[in-house]
Amino acid sequence: ETIALHGREGLRLAQVWPLLPGTAGAGAAAASARAFVWRQLRSHPELRFVEDAAAQGGDGAAGAAGGRTLSASELAPLEHGAAAALRALATERSQCWAIGADAEMLFELVGVGPGEPAVPTNANRRIQSLLRTVAKAGGAGVTQSDMPKAVGFAPNYLHYPLKLLQAGGLITGTPVLFERADPSKFGGTTVTTNYRLTRLLPPPPPPAPPDVSPTLASSLMALLHAAPQGVVRISELQAHFGLRARSQRNAWGRVRDHLLRQKLVRA
């Protein structure tokens, strides 16, 4: 999944280890974990491994998918250390699954079908760049404040691609608190939007049970009806509902004023 989320560029094997728990570091346990994961990856049917163009002095991003693909017999004797410079690429099917889209949806949104080169239009390039950036961020997502720097184009070009990707159900934005770099100007905290792949969102919480508890006003009326002659000291009512503190006087006052206006009680 981590490799598939990096799309057509894929990842060098050395870049994979810091992204997986337990595989980074110089200890024996991490080395053993890397060896185990590598044995699973090199035989995975949804992955292929190519000679990384950047490691050979070429353009890694441009030439990654076009590098020579190693065969199963070439991969079998390689240990994870010797394979560190290889670039792992997921199949188009896995890439679609990782972002939560099928090939037809991907073509409609970004103008790219399986095996096809990117359509060289500015609009499609921006949509692809946004989708790739959000996908690479995984479950952490990317805030709208960080998005212009991450994708490399001005903030005024963000609205349309974000709108399309959200309408297609590929990404979802949620409000989050954001600490300003310079709190002296506008205050320290504001609200921004964090975008994540919809497929990676945590499951929604179970629906809350219906609130069948009586309201404060109805509980107060029940106490008055049960009291002798329907009379209770205000201080006793406040103590019963835990509203005697100075900070809770407003809550008590709103309930009292509501009942007085409705002529349900007399003070």
Side-chain angles (χ1 to χ4, degrees):
E1 179 179 346
T2 299
I3 294 168
L5 286 173
H6 281 71
R8 298 185 177 202
E9 294 179 12
L11 281 172
R12 291 197 311 275
L13 198 62
Q15 296 173 312
V16 172
W17 307 134
L19 302 177
L20 300 180
T23 59
S32 178
R34 288 195 294 271
F36 173 80
V37 174
W38 165 240
R39 288 194 296 271
Q40 311 309 309
L41 291 178
R42 69 188 178 191
S43 59
H44 199 290
E46 296 291 328
L47 295 175
R48 65 187 178 97
F49 294 86
V50 303
E51 294 175 333
D52 186 45
Q56 302 179 29
D59 182 352
R68 187 179 75 86
T69 300
L70 276 70
S71 66
S73 60
E74 290 176 300
L75 291 173
L78 292 180
E79 297 298 329
H80 66 87
L86 295 180
R87 185 172 289 269
L89 297 166
T91 62
E92 296 278 357
R93 179 175 64 178
S94 292
Q95 291 177 36
C96 288
W97 169 81
I99 63 173
D102 56 30
E104 183 178 353
M105 178 190 295
L106 197 62
F107 181 80
E108 290 178 356
L109 284 173
V110 302
V112 177
E116 297 182 3
V119 177
T121 67
N122 288 336
N124 282 337
R125 195 173 293 118
R126 293 184 189 113
I127 296 171
Q128 291 172 49
S129 181
L130 272 173
L131 184 57
R132 183 167 59 247
T133 299
V134 174
K136 286 181 179 180
V142 184
T143 64
Q144 189 163 352
S145 306
D146 294 333
M147 192 78 75
K149 183 177 180 181
V151 297
F153 49 83
N156 55 305
Y157 288 112
L158 286 174
H159 178 72
Y160 179 69
L162 286 173
K163 182 179 179 181
L164 277 184
L165 292 173
Q166 287 189 97
L170 290 183
I171 67 173
T172 300
T174 52
V176 294
L177 292 179
F178 172 70
E179 296 294 332
R180 296 183 186 275
D182 185 2
S184 63
K185 292 184 178 179
F186 305 101
T189 305
T190 186
V191 176
T192 185
T193 304
N194 189 57
Y195 292 96
R196 289 181 286 181
L197 288 178
T198 303
R199 193 185 69 79
L200 299 181
L201 291 174
D211 184 9
V212 295
S213 61
T215 64
L216 182 59
S218 60
S219 297
L220 189 149
M221 290 299 298
L223 283 176
L224 289 173
H225 282 298
Q229 299 181 353
V231 177
V232 181
R233 291 181 181 274
I234 289 179
S235 59
E236 294 174 355
L237 290 174
Q238 290 174 321
H240 179 85
F241 292 106
L243 296 175
R244 297 195 68 177
R246 183 183 298 271
S247 60
Q248 296 165 326
R249 286 182 180 175
N250 287 340
W252 167 255
R254 286 194 296 270
V255 174
R256 180 201 59 205
D257 292 343
H258 170 72
L259 296 176
L260 289 171
R261 283 195 301 271
Q262 298 298 319
K263 298 183 178 179
L264 296 174
V265 299
R266 289 183 298 167

